[in-house]
Amino acid sequence: MTRMIPPFFDPESTSPGEREVFERLRDDPATEGWTAFHSVGVVKHPRQIQGEVDFVILVPNAGVVCLEVKSHRRVARLDDGRWQLGSHLPEVRGPFKQSDEAKFAIGNHLRKAGPSLPPLPMASAVFFTHARFQAPNPTEWHSWQSVDTIAFHRSPISALVLGILRRHREHLASTPSARGWFSTASVEPTSATCSRITDLLRPSFEFTEPPKIRRHRREEEAERFTQQQFQVLDMFAENPRSVVKGAAGTGKTFVAIEAARRLAANGSRVLLCCYNKLLGQWLKGEVAKVELISAGTFHSYMGRLAQEAGKQQFGGGDSRTWYRETLPGHALDVLLSDERPRFDALVIDEAQDLMLDNYLDVLDVSLSGGLGSGRWLQFGDFTNQAIFDSDADGINLLHQRTGNGFVSVTLSTNCRNVPSIAQHVEENARLVPGYSGTLRAENNREAVREWWKTPEEQQRLLVKHLNRLQADGFAPDEVVVLSPRGSTSAAAMCTDPRWRARLVPLDDARTRFVAYGTAHAFKGLDAAAVIVTDIETVNDQKTQALFYIASSRARDDLTVIARDTARADFRRLLLGE
């Protein structure tokens, strides 16, 4: 695959065509050893104060291609000779002239900056990625210098570039003025020459990815990978009642949102709910513009029903009894008195925490056709994340209520974490079964584990890694500090003068601040970087589940700060004892 410089593009300034060329060059296995520069500035341009080349592609033993990419859906050469691309005003200087001038500018720069470089076969070309372009017998360019949308999508990009270079080399061999410096036996640029060209075109100090682009890339990458999990939606289209099982990071929440949107698009009234408060708020924001979807936590839904009936809200006392018995009872009273189902379909995330009889009673009456005959889709990690009094046996309640009238499918590919974090989660959380694979590329950031003996030492380690993440370009709101503790966690008790005012609770999360909270509260969500603190033991099912939830939230960087007394627990987990 091609080495891309820079390794990522700016989504705000990159055209759709450039984006597709970039991704195809980057992902084509037949381009191993190639180097491609994207958006190369040309200071000494023959016609402009400063120009730009969309792509400069170095192909060892073949040549160099200066590529201009046009994403317009309409390309026309007017009767007066001017070019019109899309809705832009006509211009005299067309794309082939633009590409050719860029080639000469790059060539001149290389000859001056590297006078000892050997002569190079350099071709210019234009890709019309979204338009047909057929000009019979052109006189101002060679037909092989253009690739229209049909050719672009019909062949691998490696074949297209190699085809351009092959025709260019044939052209040089047949041109008398080129015979003095070019031979068909030439293997320039060699790999060594390509390395020298790389140093001349873009020195290594320019390789740093801007933080804004890095952040967008991380978020977009995660969303793109979760889209590959949507194959489960085809199953749901044919099976009205389905359970989707999967470990943390397998894309369950994104599929849940897409399922709810598709149901609403077909006219169904949908309840999209979960257990966790912060996740409920996020779900609500994601579907805020879809009128037919009611999103949020399951408890907030029951609270609204109770409010309709004028029932008193929770005012203290035994919260467990209120939320597990009293509130579901109020909600049922309203639903049964109304005698009309509220929804045509249910989509439930974190279903493992809602597998209780009283909760299922409310869901049953809320759904047209009930749980036995209605349309529903439930997502859950039924073996690893049930930390709210429901466990793997809870799914048996569904079987009892539906007579086994649903299908089950498992998502096993991790699409959230980079491979090193996915492996850390598998090994240290006794994830059984483990992931079948990971979709994200490695980022050369190993999961970090630090040990502390005193609270003061843990404070120093927390500050150390907050400083590290900041130096590495993570924005404050990309970092989350998670703990099994609440108000007594390391982050909540932070005394460092620089960081104590920049740490805020999860429910008050803001830009330019690092959020902290419990693993319970952050369940169902994720962050680019996660620091897990206050781990003193991982020796039972509850503490192992909490550690699993906390560590699996990290997409790109994971730091675990544990007490030295927990070493033996981690050793047992790693050895499977």
Side-chain angles (χ1 to χ4, degrees):
M1 295 179 282
T2 305
R3 175 193 179 192
M4 305 301 297
I5 301 176
F8 307 100
F9 52 79
D10 183 348
E12 295 182 4
S13 61
T14 303
S15 70
E18 288 181 57
R19 182 183 300 225
E20 189 168 358
V21 169
F22 186 105
E23 292 174 341
R24 289 180 62 182
L25 280 170
R26 179 195 63 196
D27 300 335
D28 190 333
T31 64
E32 188 67 35
W34 293 20
T35 301
F37 298 86
H38 176 227
S39 189
V40 181
V42 181
V43 176
K44 295 184 178 180
H45 192 276
R47 291 175 58 91
Q48 300 169 240
I49 296 176
Q50 179 166 345
E52 184 179 276
V53 188
D54 289 336
F55 291 92
V56 178
I57 306 169
L58 312 183
V59 183
N61 306 321
V64 180
V65 176
C66 293
L67 182 63
E68 185 69 23
V69 178
K70 299 300 182 185
S71 303
H72 309 85
R73 298 186 179 277
R74 178 178 177 273
V75 178
R77 185 77 179 272
L78 305 179
D79 292 340
D80 59 7
R82 292 182 300 167
W83 290 81
Q84 185 166 29
L85 304 179
S87 59
H88 291 187
L89 293 175
E91 58 180 39
V92 175
R93 179 170 166 264
F96 293 98
K97 187 69 172 176
Q98 185 178 354
S99 177
D100 214 35
E101 289 174 348
K103 179 190 77 171
F104 285 116
I106 292 293
N108 288 335
H109 171 75
L110 292 176
R111 282 190 290 274
K112 291 179 180 179
S116 62
L117 281 175
L120 302 170
M122 295 185 65
S124 61
V126 181
F127 279 12
F128 300 96
T129 57
H130 290 68
R132 291 302 306 270
F133 184 82
Q134 293 178 320
N137 302 316
T139 58
E140 299 176 34
W141 64 90
H142 299 285
S143 58
W144 48 265
Q145 288 180 283
S146 69
V147 173
D148 73 354
T149 186
I150 299 299
F152 180 63
H153 291 100
R154 182 177 292 166
S155 303
I157 198 164
S158 54
L160 296 173
V161 173
L162 288 172
I164 291 168
L165 287 173
R166 177 179 56 80
R167 296 293 299 273
H168 178 63
R169 292 172 71 92
E170 291 173 355
H171 172 66
L172 291 176
S174 64
T175 303
S177 60
R179 291 173 185 169
W181 63 270
F182 177 77
S183 167
T184 54
S186 171
V187 293
E188 292 291 351
T190 63
S191 295
T193 301
C194 288
S195 295
R196 292 179 61 194
I197 295 172
T198 297
D199 292 338
L200 294 172
L201 284 183
R202 191 158 295 179
S204 58
F205 64 79
E206 293 185 14
F207 291 174
T208 301
E209 180 186 15
K212 182 178 180 181
I213 299 176
R214 183 188 303 118
R215 174 173 187 157
H216 183 94
R217 182 260 305 172
R218 282 196 290 251
E219 294 173 351
E220 184 182 64
E221 186 179 48
E223 291 182 5
R224 182 173 68 249
F225 288 149
T226 54
Q227 289 172 5
Q228 298 179 15
Q229 311 301 306
F230 288 170
Q231 57 188 350
V232 73
L233 296 171
D234 296 332
M235 176 203 70
F236 184 49
E238 300 177 1
N239 299 278
R241 291 169 296 284
S242 306
V243 170
V244 180
K245 304 174 183 179
T250 53
K252 301 185 297 296
T253 299
F254 283 93
V255 182
I257 292 171
E258 180 66 12
R261 286 173 174 158
R262 293 189 181 190
L263 286 165
N266 289 327
S268 295
R269 297 164 298 159
V270 183
L271 173 63
L272 171 62
C273 66
C274 62
Y275 187 100
N276 182 273
K277 179 180 177 182
L278 290 176
L279 178 59
Q281 292 172 350
W282 186 78
L283 291 176
K284 189 173 182 179
E286 288 295 298
V287 297
K289 296 181 180 180
V290 186
E291 293 183 359
L292 289 176
I293 300 179
S294 177
T297 67
F298 178 61
H299 291 90
S300 66
Y301 165 62
M302 292 193 294
R304 289 193 300 272
L305 290 173
Q307 192 173 24
E308 284 184 25
K311 301 291 186 179
Q312 182 180 359
Q313 296 298 301
F314 178 63
D318 186 357
S319 62
R320 176 184 171 87
T321 300
W322 167 263
Y323 286 110
R324 289 167 59 95
E325 299 177 17
T326 307
L327 183 58
H330 289 338
L332 270 178
D333 288 344
V334 175
L335 291 167
L336 292 173
S337 64
D338 193 10
E339 296 184 352
R340 288 181 296 115
R342 298 296 176 104
F343 300 100
D344 302 309
L346 304 178
V347 178
I348 303 173
D349 199 11
E350 298 185 304
Q352 74 277 356
D353 292 320
L354 296 175
M355 293 293 104
L356 300 173
D357 270 318
N358 288 342
Y359 294 163
L360 293 177
D361 286 341
V362 175
L363 292 172
D364 193 23
V365 182
S366 298
L367 176 64
S368 178
L371 293 176
S373 303
R375 189 167 184 78
W376 53 260
L377 181 60
Q378 302 200 34
F379 298 82
D381 185 348
F382 291 92
T383 59
N384 297 290
Q385 289 195 59
I387 60 173
F388 295 107
D389 301 314
S390 177
D391 55 29
D393 293 333
I395 199 169
N396 293 331
L397 293 175
L398 275 181
H399 286 288
Q400 295 171 15
R401 288 169 177 267
T402 63
N404 297 325
F406 63 87
V407 299
S408 178
V409 65
T410 299
L411 294 175
S412 60
T413 302
N414 185 303
C415 53
R416 171 193 293 161
N417 314 116
V418 294
S420 60
I421 294 178
Q423 182 179 354
H424 186 278
V425 171
E426 285 183 315
E427 293 176 347
N428 293 280
R430 286 188 174 174
L431 188 57
V432 180
Y435 299 113
S436 62
T438 56
L439 292 179
R440 294 193 58 200
E442 191 54 86
N443 62 358
N444 299 318
R445 305 179 70 88
E446 294 294 330
V448 176
R449 185 182 297 157
E450 298 265 30
W451 305 101
W452 55 275
K453 294 182 179 180
T454 66
E456 294 75 20
E457 189 175 2
Q458 180 175 216
Q459 285 286 326
R460 289 194 295 272
L461 291 172
L462 173 59
V463 171
K464 167 187 170 182
H465 287 287
L466 288 171
N467 290 335
R468 173 182 64 83
L469 291 170
Q470 182 182 55
D472 287 350
F474 286 88
D477 59 347
E478 288 187 292
V479 181
V480 171
V481 185
L482 298 179
S483 168
R485 299 179 182 175
S487 59
T488 61
S489 71
M493 304 292 288
C494 182
T495 58
D496 181 81
R498 182 182 178 191
W499 283 103
R500 63 185 175 188
R502 301 171 65 190
L503 289 161
V504 297
L506 284 170
D507 56 6
D508 188 33
R510 292 167 280 167
T511 57
R512 297 190 293 278
F513 289 85
V514 173
Y516 68 86
T518 65
H520 309 69
F522 205 63
K523 193 165 171 285
L525 301 172
D526 58 44
V530 171
I531 301 175
V532 185
T533 64
D534 304 296
I535 301 298
E536 299 194 37
T537 181
V538 196
N539 60 1
D540 57 34
Q541 185 175 359
K542 189 71 171 277
T543 55
Q544 288 175 16
L546 286 172
F547 176 72
Y548 162 70
I549 291 167
S551 58
S552 62
R553 303 303 100 190
R555 295 197 304 268
D556 296 271
D557 191 283
L558 172 64
T559 304
V560 178
I561 303 176
R563 192 163 192 159
D564 61 348
T565 54
R567 288 178 186 265
D569 293 339
F570 281 105
R571 187 180 303 112
R572 284 192 296 270
L573 289 172
L574 187 61
L575 297 176
E577 297 177 353

